[in-house]
Amino acid sequence: MILAGIGGFFYADSSLKPVEKIINTAKNIEENNLNERIKVNSQDELGRLASTLNQMISRLEKAFEQQKQFTADVSHDLRTPLSIIQAESSLSLKKDRSIEEYKKSLELILEETSYMSEIIDKLLFLARSDNKTQFYNFTKTNLKSLLEEVIKKVSPLYHNKGLTLQVAKMEELYIRGDKDKLKEALINILDNSLKYTDEGKVTISSVKRGNFAKISIEDTGRGIPKEDLNRIFDRFYRGDKARTSSEKSTGLGLAIVKEIVNAHDGRIEVKSEVGKGTVFSLFLPIEK
C-alpha cells in the first residue's frame, strides 16, 4: 500500500504537470502578447483543453485588433474635419473679411460638422446594435410601397449626376420589418451605388424567392475588387477606389446595412466585377 501510494503520488504529479504548464502560460498571456499560444503535446483531454483555450485566445486577439483598428479609424475620421474647422476658423479670425468670405467659411464649417455628426450618429447606431439596445418597430410592411418611397427620395440625386434609376420588376410582397430602418438600409446601398457609378444606370427589383423577398440593386459602376468583397461590411473599411474618391464616405454605411438585415433575420449577398458593376441582394423573410 505504501509503494502504491508513492507510485500514485509520482503518477499524479507527472499527470498534473501539463495542467500547471497550461495555467502558467494562460497567466502570462495579456493584451500585449495575445499572439502566444499554449503548446499542445497530446490529443487527450488535456490536449483538447489546450486547443480550445488557443482558439479562445485567437478570438480575443482578433477582437483586440479590431478594437484597436476601430479606435484608430474613428480618431482619423474625426481628426480630419476638426483640423479643417480649426484652420478655417483661425484664418477667418486673423483679419477682417468680406461678408461673402465669412459666408464661405461658415459653409465649410457647417459641412464638416455635418460630416462629424453623421459619423457619430452611425457609431451610436452600431453601439446600440452591439449592446442589443437598438429599438426596432416591426410591423407588416408592403415592400413595393416601401421601395417606391425610397426611389422617390433618391431619384433627384441620380438625375443630378446624369444616372438612370430604373425598376426592373416589383412584385406585391409583404414583410415584417421596421419601415424606417429598412429605408435607411436601402438608401445606404443606393448611396453607395451613386458614389461609385460614373455613368450608366442602377436597377432595382423585388421578387419572391422561396420564403424570402429578394431585393436586388444592380449598378454599372466601377465594381469591387475580389480581395475587398469579404471586407466591405467591416466598419470603417474603404477600398482604394473609395479612398481616392472625391465623395466623402464614413465607411459605416454598409456595416449598418448588415446590422439592419441581420436584425430582420435576413441576409445580404454581393456580386461584383471590376469595371462592370455590382449587385447587392437583400433577402428578407416574407410575412405569411
Side-chain angles (χ1 to χ4, degrees):
M1 289 178 64
I2 292 170
L3 289 174
I6 294 170
F9 173 79
F10 283 108
Y11 178 76
D13 184 60
S14 62
S15 298
L16 290 173
K17 277 184 179 179
V19 177
E20 289 181 9
K21 288 182 180 178
I22 291 173
I23 292 171
N24 291 330
T25 305
K27 279 183 178 179
N28 292 327
I29 294 176
E30 297 179 354
E31 182 181 347
N32 58 352
N33 64 337
L34 281 169
N35 59 331
E36 290 188 17
R37 296 292 181 270
I38 299 167
K39 290 183 180 179
V40 181
N41 297 319
S42 62
Q43 297 301 319
D44 57 9
E45 286 79 3
L46 289 175
R48 290 200 296 273
L49 173 62
S51 296
T52 302
L53 287 172
N54 284 336
Q55 291 172 11
M56 182 188 71
I57 295 165
S58 295
R59 291 195 296 271
L60 286 172
E61 182 183 17
K62 184 179 179 182
F64 270 102
E65 287 301 320
Q66 288 177 339
Q67 186 182 43
K68 288 178 182 177
Q69 186 63 46
F70 181 74
T71 303
D73 289 335
V74 171
S75 301
H76 176 270
D77 275 47
L78 290 177
R79 185 176 63 234
T80 302
L82 280 171
S83 299
I84 294 171
I85 291 170
Q86 186 178 21
E88 192 65 28
S89 301
S90 298
L91 286 171
S92 298
L93 291 170
K94 275 185 177 179
K95 63 176 183 179
D96 290 338
R97 299 177 183 275
S98 66
I99 294 175
E100 285 301 318
E101 287 175 324
Y102 280 126
K103 187 178 179 181
K104 285 181 180 179
S105 293
L106 289 172
E107 286 174 351
L108 179 59
I109 290 171
L110 178 62
E111 180 184 344
E112 295 303 324
T113 52
S114 297
Y115 175 62
M116 289 173 62
S117 179
E118 182 185 355
I119 292 175
I120 292 167
D121 287 343
K122 289 181 176 180
L123 286 172
L124 285 171
F125 180 94
L126 291 170
R128 292 192 189 105
S129 296
D130 290 342
N131 295 328
K132 308 298 181 185
T133 57
Q134 181 64 51
F135 176 74
Y136 284 85
N137 181 26
F138 290 100
T139 58
K140 188 174 182 179
T141 303
N142 185 316
L143 185 58
K144 184 178 180 181
S145 298
L146 185 145
L147 288 171
E148 286 172 349
E149 288 180 33
V150 170
I151 291 169
K152 185 179 179 180
K153 187 172 183 178
V154 301
S155 287
L157 301 174
Y158 279 80
H159 179 74
N160 291 339
K161 196 174 178 179
L163 297 174
T164 302
L165 181 61
Q166 66 179 28
V167 177
K169 188 176 183 181
M170 205 173 284
E171 295 182 5
E172 195 79 28
L173 300 170
Y174 285 88
I175 59 172
R176 185 166 183 79
D178 186 311
K179 194 173 181 180
D180 292 332
K181 297 291 193 303
L182 288 172
K183 279 184 184 178
E184 183 177 0
L186 292 167
I187 288 172
N188 277 337
I189 295 176
L190 287 166
D191 181 61
N192 196 73
S193 296
L194 177 65
K195 286 176 180 175
Y196 306 121
T197 303
D198 299 315
E199 59 181 5
K201 62 184 179 180
V202 175
T203 307
I204 302 175
S205 65
S206 63
V207 294
K208 183 179 179 181
R209 288 288 181 269
N211 295 324
F212 290 86
K214 178 185 178 183
I215 306 167
S216 296
I217 298 174
E218 181 177 359
D219 65 53
T220 56
R222 306 170 201 172
I224 304 169
K226 190 178 290 185
E227 61 271 18
D228 290 339
L229 276 177
N230 292 330
R231 298 194 61 194
I232 59 173
F233 294 105
D234 292 350
R235 297 172 189 185
F236 284 108
Y237 183 77
R238 283 161 288 192
D240 292 337
K241 285 180 171 28
R243 291 184 187 280
T244 57
S245 174
S246 59
E247 299 281 357
K248 280 193 173 181
S249 172
T250 63
L252 294 170
L254 291 180
I256 287 175
V257 171
K258 188 176 180 180
E259 289 291 339
I260 293 172
V261 172
N262 287 344
H264 285 77
D265 295 324
R267 70 180 191 276
I268 183 167
E269 296 177 357
V270 186
K271 294 180 181 178
S272 186
E273 190 173 346
V274 175
K276 292 189 176 181
T278 304
V279 183
F280 283 89
S281 298
L282 279 67
F283 293 84
L284 301 171
I286 292 174
E287 175 78 347
K288 295 180 181 179

